[in-house]
Amino acid sequence: MIELMKDENRRFAQRSDLTKVPPKFKGLNGLWGRWSAEELLGKDNSLCPIRLQLDVSERDLAEKSGLSIYIYMAFSTDLWDALNDKNLELRKGSRVLRGGLQLATRHMPQGMSLTIPMTNNVGFQNLAHVIIHFEEAEPDLGRKGFQPEFVHLAEKVSVSAVTAFRKRYNLLRKPGVASIFNDEIKVDQWIKMQEEHEKKCSLIISGPGLFLPTEELPIRSEPLVEQDVVALFNQMLSSGVIRGVQLIASSQYNQYDGLYRIRMDPPFEKFVRNDINPLGIDSNHLSGDEPYVSKVKVLEYKYNLDGLVEELQSGVKNVNDIGLAVAWNIGKKWREMFDVTSLLDEDTVHHRKIHGTTHSFTHSVSGLYAFEAIILHDLVRYLQDPHAEMERQRELLLEE
């Protein structure tokens, strides 16, 4: 929540449109925040959305007791179920993490979890996990909890906190859109299943003179739909225009299109960039006598990369699952989420790690690596006229 408010303050100062929320703050599993009494009650609370309505005695108690708050609001109670059942692996039906109010002192919970006494929108009391911590308070050992005035203050603060977070509930993912933690597990299971299938039913065809490259592609026109992109990419693989990519699965699994692996066997000369192999890799990335074999990753096909960006923004697909995207056009929506390094520019081509890749994507906010891409339209233009395409790439990436 604090990062969100920092971004809102920055956009307000720049007089930007506050309704255009950056993608990284959309489709979240939950929102969280932690604030001290000084931050809750101070005059400068620009990074705290909670607006307390306390009388003089309540404010005095909050300050003297060293009150602080932690709150996490989940998009659905399904999140608590997944945390308890799958992550913590508790006995079926046990709920250590759940919506409610927990009082604490000395960094230890005191007493049972309480219900957040919402008077309207009561469903949110089950979505929010609130901890009110008193630094300077002694629990009533007889009651196994705190004195009534502390409980009343905690309840009042928790209601204000949930009310503040409820106003940003629209930023969270929609319940039922996709499973929570087992998405990644299912992808891993799919990968393992395909690896086992590859071992049991391998398809290897080889022989001297069996393959006769024609030095041109069978496909005779530019792609019009995604299936054309798949066909063109496969022809480039089989002809050796793009090298080292092994297709492990082409059948769609859930929301993803396929699986691939990078395998480069020595001698590595056929993968090294030179005048007759302009899509190659710098030689300093390839050394030794052992094959380079990557782990199996997810491959995505799109006619226009805008389609993939939309699926990432909506939460249908997870950017962390994807290793390589193959598309005809790069589109324009990538600017909403990513920064791009062109691998068709002589100044940045040394960043290429996979033969034939044209672009490398990083998250625009964090700067962390996202995925590699082969934009076939740009690749074809580069092979036809490298200098002209390099200049076009520079202009494209400089556009706002």
Side-chain angles (χ1 to χ4, degrees), residues 146-246:
F146 286 93
Q147 293 86 350
E149 61 269 24
F150 287 96
V151 175
H152 175 73
L153 175 61
E155 289 178 336
K156 199 165 183 178
V157 173
S158 68
V159 169
S160 297
V162 173
T163 300
F165 271 58
R166 178 176 59 82
K167 294 176 182 178
R168 290 172 170 82
Y169 181 72
N170 63 306
L171 299 177
L172 305 187
R173 66 192 298 179
K174 301 298 183 288
V177 169
S179 55
I180 307 164
F181 295 109
N182 59 348
D183 281 353
E184 185 175 347
I185 295 174
K186 288 181 178 179
V187 171
D188 288 342
Q189 290 173 343
W190 177 37
I191 290 173
K192 291 177 182 177
M193 181 179 67
Q194 289 300 140
E195 288 176 330
E196 288 298 317
H197 178 69
E198 180 188 14
K199 293 176 182 177
K200 294 178 180 178
C201 306
S202 61
L203 178 61
I204 300 175
I205 303 174
S206 61
L210 186 60
F211 294 92
L212 181 63
T214 59
E215 297 190 359
E216 63 179 10
L217 297 177
I219 196 166
R220 310 308 293 178
S221 59
E222 294 184 354
L224 294 174
V225 295
E226 183 178 308
Q227 193 58 38
D228 295 339
V229 172
V230 177
L232 176 57
F233 177 64
N234 277 266
Q235 288 183 14
M236 286 186 170
L237 290 181
S238 60
S239 65
V241 175
I242 299 171
R243 305 169 190 175
V245 180
Q246 294 182 335

Side-chain angles (χ1 to χ4, degrees), residues 12-209:
F12 178 78
Q14 295 174 346
R15 298 185 179 180
S16 301
D17 187 353
L18 294 179
T19 63
K20 294 183 178 179
V21 181
K24 77 167 187 172
F25 296 119
K26 296 180 180 178
L28 304 173
N29 278 338
L31 282 170
W32 72 277
R34 182 172 57 193
W35 295 273
S36 65
E38 291 80 5
E39 293 168 318
L40 290 166
L41 302 172
K43 294 181 179 180
D44 182 14
N45 55 2
S46 60
L47 296 180
C48 178
I50 304 169
R51 299 294 177 258
L52 299 179
Q53 301 293 325
L54 304 179
D55 60 30
V56 175
S57 62
E58 290 168 338
R59 289 180 67 90
D60 184 60
L61 180 61
E63 291 174 344
K64 289 182 177 180
S65 63
L67 179 146
S68 62
I69 182 173
Y70 169 89
I71 175 173
Y72 185 98
M73 178 172 283
F75 79 99
S76 167
T77 54
D78 292 342
L79 181 66
W80 304 128
D81 295 339
L83 283 167
N84 288 291
D85 295 339
K86 303 218 184 315
N87 283 46
L88 300 179
E89 297 182 348
L90 301 179
R91 186 176 67 252
K92 194 68 175 176
S94 298
R95 292 294 175 263
V96 173
L97 293 175
R98 59 182 177 179
L101 168 62
Q102 179 66 60
L103 275 63
T105 187
R106 298 172 185 170
H107 306 287
M108 292 290 291
Q110 298 292 328
M112 299 296 292
S113 176
L114 305 175
T115 299
I116 300 171
M118 302 292 293
T119 55
N120 51 38
N121 297 291
V122 294
F124 285 94
Q125 66 190 18
N126 298 318
L127 299 181
H129 180 77
V130 179
I131 299 174
I132 300 293
H133 186 272
F134 296 105
E135 190 68 30
E136 303 293 338
E138 292 292 337
D140 187 333
L141 298 180
R143 297 172 181 268
K144 295 183 179 179
F146 286 93
Q147 293 86 350
E149 61 269 24
F150 287 96
V151 175
H152 175 73
L153 175 61
E155 289 178 336
K156 199 165 183 178
V157 173
S158 68
V159 169
S160 297
V162 173
T163 300
F165 271 58
R166 178 176 59 82
K167 294 176 182 178
R168 290 172 170 82
Y169 181 72
N170 63 306
L171 299 177
L172 305 187
R173 66 192 298 179
K174 301 298 183 288
V177 169
S179 55
I180 307 164
F181 295 109
N182 59 348
D183 281 353
E184 185 175 347
I185 295 174
K186 288 181 178 179
V187 171
D188 288 342
Q189 290 173 343
W190 177 37
I191 290 173
K192 291 177 182 177
M193 181 179 67
Q194 289 300 140
E195 288 176 330
E196 288 298 317
H197 178 69
E198 180 188 14
K199 293 176 182 177
K200 294 178 180 178
C201 306
S202 61
L203 178 61
I204 300 175
I205 303 174
S206 61

